Each structure stands twice: as C-alpha cells, then as structure tokens.
Amino acid sequence: MSDELHDHDRGLSFDLPTLQRRKMIRLLAGVGLVPLVGCSSDDSDSSASSASSSDPSASSSSSAASSGSAECETIPGETAGPYPGDGSNGVNVLKESGVVRKDITSSFGTASGKAEGVPLTVTLTVVDAASGCGTPKEGAAVYLWHCDRDGNYSLYSEGVTEENYLRGVQETDAKGQVTFTSIFPACYTGRWPHIHFEVYGSLEDATNATSITATSQLALPKDVCDTVYASDGYDRSVQNMGQLSLETDNIFSDGYDQQLATTKGSVEKGYTATLTVPV
C-alpha cells in the first residue's frame, strides 16, 4: 500500500465538527442546560473514567457490567467519516442488492474480492434507552463497515474502489441483536482501531438510506489489538498503534466507556466483539 496520506488518515479534519459538537453537549450538560438520557451519577462516571484510563481492557468489562444496571445513556454520536458508503459522500452501497448479509468478508454483486485477516465476529445489541436499556429494539437495522487489514476502505481507497467488502446490513432479532462475520480491522495513521455503524428504525429505512437513528463507532481494546497486530499481515498497524491511545484519539478522547467492545478469543480461533447500543 502506498505511503501517500489518504483522506481517512486525516481523521481530525473530517471528524472535528462532530467532535466539537459532542464536547459542547457534554459541557452544557455539565451546567444543567442540556438533559442527558439516563440516570448515572457524577461519581459513577468518574469511577468508570478512572478505571478506563488506567486499563482500557478493564473498561470493557466495566462497560459490559453496567449495561445491565439502571444506568442508561444513548450511544455517543460520532461522525460517519469520509467513507460511509451510505450516499452521504458519493457512492451508496445500501441500495445495492446483496448488502443485507451476515458475512461481510467478501464483496458481493459484480465484485469478487475478499478481505483477509484474523476472523472477528461482531454482535451489537440495540436497546431502547428511554426504557432504561431494558427493551430490545426488535426490527431495527444496523449498517456496519470498517477498514481492511491494510487500513483501506472498500469503494473509496486506492486499489479497492471496485470492492464492497466489509460492509453489510442486518435486521435486529427479538433480542435486539445483529451479528456480522468479518475480519479484525487495521490501525491506520491517526485513528484508534474502530468499527463504524449506523442504526436505522427498520430494514426498509436502511436499504433506502433514510432516517438514521444513530451513528457511532465501536472501539477495540488495546491488549487484543496488540496481540492481533503481532500476527502476519498487520505489520503497519504495530507502528501506528505505538503513536496512539484511546485518550488521544480524536474521536474517543472525550469518553469511550460506552463504545469499548467486550472482546474475547485468539488469533488462531478468531475473536468476538460485543457491544450494547442504546438508542
């Protein structure tokens, strides 16, 4: 892959408007001007932040544990980035036949490429935030996408503009869940390893690319990333990871407790990443 700086490497210039909006919302909420969904106390937020700062992996466990408690806030809104493929920046893959699928490792339609890498199964559980996260959102839909092992995004990056792998849509089941079979994404210049997703009210909304309910990103734990990137094919990710942290990433630096996935597995058998998504 060329060393030329691609647009997705310029994360701050693309993501700054959304980042500033989120920080302003948090600032206003701190002085009581903007109500936030949920009932978490300042003490519990402080404790979670302290734990995650010292150990990002511990934050994953803490986040998972809190999902079953009375605390419930909507998933933080994030930028879809420059390569969403949802029609907001050029190409729209959501209206193509075949985009509704569980296995997103290969391209579909007239494309035939396949993304190589350590297997990763991603399960998102979409719940109703207004109910205290106790009610699954059955019949909603999730569009999920991320970069490949080389840090490239299908449909956009040089060399893979004709591919549409690592993109797909699923309808949530009775548990509010969707599951995607994929590969572990790279760590590219300037961004912590992440996965993009959009939540829609229904499968029809998703395949028509209308009425997005939420747009956010899932973060992957450092210890797992370090293990995966030590395996074949992820050489460039090692150097990029060495220059980043969750606390300095331009998206996750203002808080990532709700977005850090619980991730388990091994390089040999593959990994699972799970996250609860209150909307």
Side-chain angles (χ1 to χ4, degrees):
M1 186 176 70
S2 171
D3 288 333
E4 178 185 356
L5 185 65
H6 296 290
D7 284 346
H8 68 267
D9 294 338
R10 303 186 178 97
L12 185 57
S13 62
F14 284 98
D15 301 340
L16 188 56
T18 295
L19 180 60
Q20 294 296 340
R21 175 181 58 80
R22 279 187 54 199
K23 287 186 175 180
M24 181 59 69
I25 290 174
R26 289 172 183 263
L27 177 61
L28 293 176
V31 295
L33 297 181
V34 176
L36 292 178
V37 176
C39 54
S40 59
S41 68
D42 291 340
D43 289 342
S44 62
D45 288 344
S46 176
S47 298
S49 176
S50 175
S52 63
S53 297
S54 59
D55 185 356
S57 299
S59 171
S60 178
S61 300
S62 174
S63 178
S66 66
S67 65
S69 71
E71 299 177 4
C72 181
E73 294 184 3
T74 54
I75 193 76
E78 306 290 9
T79 176
Y83 306 128
D86 61 1
S88 63
N89 185 22
V91 64
N92 189 343
V93 74
L94 295 177
K95 294 186 176 182
E96 295 185 16
S97 176
V99 72
V100 180
R101 60 200 186 127
K102 177 178 180 179
D103 190 338
I104 62 174
T105 55
S106 299
S107 292
F108 62 92
T110 58
S112 59
K114 181 177 181 179
E116 302 294 337
V118 173
L120 176 68
T121 299
V122 181
T123 298
L124 302 182
T125 303
V126 182
V127 297
D128 180 27
S131 71
C133 293
T135 304
K137 297 282 284 187
E138 180 180 5
V142 176
Y143 167 42
L144 181 145
W145 73 98
H146 61 82
C147 71
D148 62 20
R149 186 170 62 179
D150 296 316
N152 294 320
Y153 283 88
S154 66
L155 302 176
Y156 294 93
S157 299
E158 183 180 357
V160 293
T161 56
E162 301 302 315
E163 302 294 346
N164 52 29
Y165 55 56
L166 305 182
R167 299 177 184 273
V169 175
Q170 283 279 291
E171 183 177 28
T172 58
D173 60 17
K175 296 181 180 179
Q177 293 185 336
V178 292
T179 298
F180 295 91
T181 300
S182 190
I183 58 99
F184 207 94
C187 174
Y188 56 77
T189 306
R191 279 305 318 277
W192 187 263
H194 63 284
I195 294 174
H196 295 267
F197 61 90
E198 293 173 343
V199 181
Y200 291 80
S202 67
L203 187 60
E204 181 179 5
D205 286 344
T207 52
N208 284 303
T210 60
S211 304
I212 299 175
T213 302
T215 302
S216 194
Q217 297 181 25
L218 172 156
L220 293 162
K222 183 180 187 305
D223 58 342
V224 176
C225 291
D226 287 341
T227 300
V228 171
Y229 296 157
S231 64
D232 293 340
Y234 289 93
D235 298 355
R236 296 190 61 169
S237 292
V238 175
Q239 179 179 354
N240 292 332
M241 274 288 288
Q243 301 170 350
L244 293 166
S245 72
L246 278 162
E247 288 75 20
T248 60
D249 180 75
N250 63 60
I251 291 298
F252 300 123
S253 60
D254 61 346
Y256 51 84
D257 287 350
Q258 285 185 270
Q259 296 160 283
L260 188 61
T262 298
T263 308
K264 301 177 181 179
S266 66
V267 169
E268 294 74 23
K269 296 183 179 180
Y271 287 87
T272 61
T274 59
L275 186 72
T276 297
V277 181
V279 298

